[in-house]
Amino acid sequence: EARTLATVLKPTKPKPYHGEIDAVACLNFIENQEEYFEIVGLNKTMWVKYTSVSLEDDAKAWWRDSGMNMNTVWEEFHDAFIKYHTPPNAVAAARQELDKLRQKHLSVKEYTHRFRRLSRLIPNMDPDTTLFIYMNGLEPETSKEVRLRQPETMGQAVQQASIVHGILHPTPPTALATSAPT
């Protein structure tokens, strides 16, 4: 079924990786590879083989010097790739930024987007801690109301924050919508 669907949809092959030492770029590359392989139904034993041909420039040099080969298991490749291509201070920097992140005058959508970008850089952050930090960074009135509703997941918290914040801080109508015809 996956191969039939992949044949019909013809998913776009992920772009090659050139070797940037960038936490977001390397996570995006690896996740795109995994999603593509899942969609096309490629056996996991083949993932390293196909990913290795998507490495160029510095990434290809890393692959050749890594000591891994075409028979390396995906999890080993995945971990080594991320470890090498993520700056050493990326997790600490993301933790610091996340600690300082507050909604203030941002919309819930903008706050949530920034929160998710930072939190994905912190491996092994458990869902309860993620939820606590998210709610803590919301605008105080919104945070209080969302906490009272006791969301169990990030999805629930985001949905509740959007509704509550929209009620507490409605967006004024645009000048175009409020102007009377002349």
Short mmCIF file of all heavy atoms in Angstrom, two decimals, residues 1-11 38-41:
data_model
loop_
_atom_site.label_atom_id
_atom_site.label_comp_id
_atom_site.label_asym_id
_atom_site.label_seq_id
_atom_site.Cartn_x
_atom_site.Cartn_y
_atom_site.Cartn_z
N GLU A 1 0.83 -1.20 0.00
CA GLU A 1 0.00 0.00 0.00
C GLU A 1 0.87 1.26 0.00
O GLU A 1 0.59 2.21 -0.72
CB GLU A 1 -0.92 0.00 1.23
CG GLU A 1 -1.86 1.19 1.24
CD GLU A 1 -2.76 1.18 2.46
OE1 GLU A 1 -3.28 0.10 2.79
OE2 GLU A 1 -2.92 2.24 3.05
N ALA A 2 1.93 1.26 0.81
CA ALA A 2 2.81 2.43 0.86
C ALA A 2 3.46 2.68 -0.49
O ALA A 2 3.56 3.81 -0.95
CB ALA A 2 3.87 2.25 1.94
N ARG A 3 3.93 1.61 -1.15
CA ARG A 3 4.57 1.77 -2.46
C ARG A 3 3.58 2.28 -3.50
O ARG A 3 3.91 3.10 -4.34
CB ARG A 3 5.22 0.46 -2.90
CG ARG A 3 6.44 0.11 -2.09
CD ARG A 3 7.24 -0.97 -2.80
NE ARG A 3 8.31 -1.43 -1.97
CZ ARG A 3 9.49 -0.83 -1.86
NH1 ARG A 3 9.74 0.26 -2.51
NH2 ARG A 3 10.43 -1.32 -1.08
N THR A 4 2.35 1.79 -3.45
CA THR A 4 1.32 2.24 -4.38
C THR A 4 1.05 3.72 -4.17
O THR A 4 0.98 4.50 -5.11
CB THR A 4 0.02 1.43 -4.20
OG1 THR A 4 0.33 0.05 -4.34
CG2 THR A 4 -1.02 1.83 -5.22
N LEU A 5 0.89 4.12 -2.92
CA LEU A 5 0.64 5.51 -2.58
C LEU A 5 1.82 6.38 -3.01
O LEU A 5 1.64 7.45 -3.59
CB LEU A 5 0.39 5.66 -1.08
CG LEU A 5 -0.07 7.01 -0.60
CD1 LEU A 5 -1.37 7.44 -1.28
CD2 LEU A 5 -0.27 6.99 0.91
N ALA A 6 3.03 5.92 -2.76
CA ALA A 6 4.23 6.67 -3.14
C ALA A 6 4.31 6.82 -4.66
O ALA A 6 4.73 7.85 -5.18
CB ALA A 6 5.48 6.00 -2.61
N THR A 7 3.89 5.80 -5.40
CA THR A 7 3.90 5.86 -6.85
C THR A 7 2.92 6.90 -7.36
O THR A 7 3.22 7.65 -8.28
CB THR A 7 3.56 4.48 -7.45
OG1 THR A 7 4.47 3.52 -6.93
CG2 THR A 7 3.64 4.48 -8.96
N VAL A 8 1.76 6.95 -6.74
CA VAL A 8 0.73 7.91 -7.15
C VAL A 8 1.13 9.33 -6.75
O VAL A 8 1.05 10.25 -7.56
CB VAL A 8 -0.63 7.53 -6.52
CG1 VAL A 8 -1.67 8.63 -6.78
CG2 VAL A 8 -1.12 6.20 -7.06
N LEU A 9 1.57 9.50 -5.51
CA LEU A 9 1.89 10.84 -5.00
C LEU A 9 3.24 11.36 -5.46
O LEU A 9 3.45 12.57 -5.52
CB LEU A 9 1.84 10.85 -3.47
CG LEU A 9 0.48 10.59 -2.85
CD1 LEU A 9 0.60 10.59 -1.33
CD2 LEU A 9 -0.53 11.62 -3.28
N LYS A 10 4.16 10.46 -5.73
CA LYS A 10 5.52 10.82 -6.12
C LYS A 10 6.10 11.88 -5.18
O LYS A 10 6.29 13.04 -5.57
CB LYS A 10 5.56 11.30 -7.57
CG LYS A 10 5.17 10.22 -8.54
CD LYS A 10 5.25 10.69 -9.96
CE LYS A 10 4.78 9.52 -10.82
NZ LYS A 10 4.46 9.85 -12.14
N PRO A 11 6.38 11.48 -3.93
CA PRO A 11 6.90 12.46 -2.97
C PRO A 11 8.24 13.02 -3.42
O PRO A 11 9.04 12.34 -4.06
CB PRO A 11 7.05 11.66 -1.68
CG PRO A 11 7.13 10.24 -2.12
CD PRO A 11 6.34 10.14 -3.39
N GLU A 38 9.80 6.37 4.92
CA GLU A 38 8.54 5.78 5.40
C GLU A 38 7.48 5.84 4.31
O GLU A 38 6.76 4.87 4.07
CB GLU A 38 8.05 6.52 6.65
CG GLU A 38 8.85 6.25 7.91
CD GLU A 38 8.64 4.88 8.51
OE1 GLU A 38 7.58 4.25 8.24
OE2 GLU A 38 9.52 4.43 9.27
N ILE A 39 7.36 6.99 3.65
CA ILE A 39 6.35 7.17 2.61
C ILE A 39 6.56 6.22 1.45
O ILE A 39 5.62 5.60 0.95
CB ILE A 39 6.32 8.63 2.11
CG1 ILE A 39 5.76 9.55 3.19
CG2 ILE A 39 5.49 8.76 0.82
CD1 ILE A 39 5.93 11.03 2.90
N VAL A 40 7.80 6.08 1.02
CA VAL A 40 8.07 5.21 -0.12
C VAL A 40 8.19 3.74 0.28
O VAL A 40 8.33 2.87 -0.58
CB VAL A 40 9.32 5.65 -0.94
CG1 VAL A 40 9.13 7.04 -1.50
CG2 VAL A 40 10.59 5.54 -0.12
N GLY A 41 8.11 3.45 1.56
CA GLY A 41 8.14 2.07 2.03
C GLY A 41 9.50 1.40 1.93
O GLY A 41 9.58 0.19 1.76
#
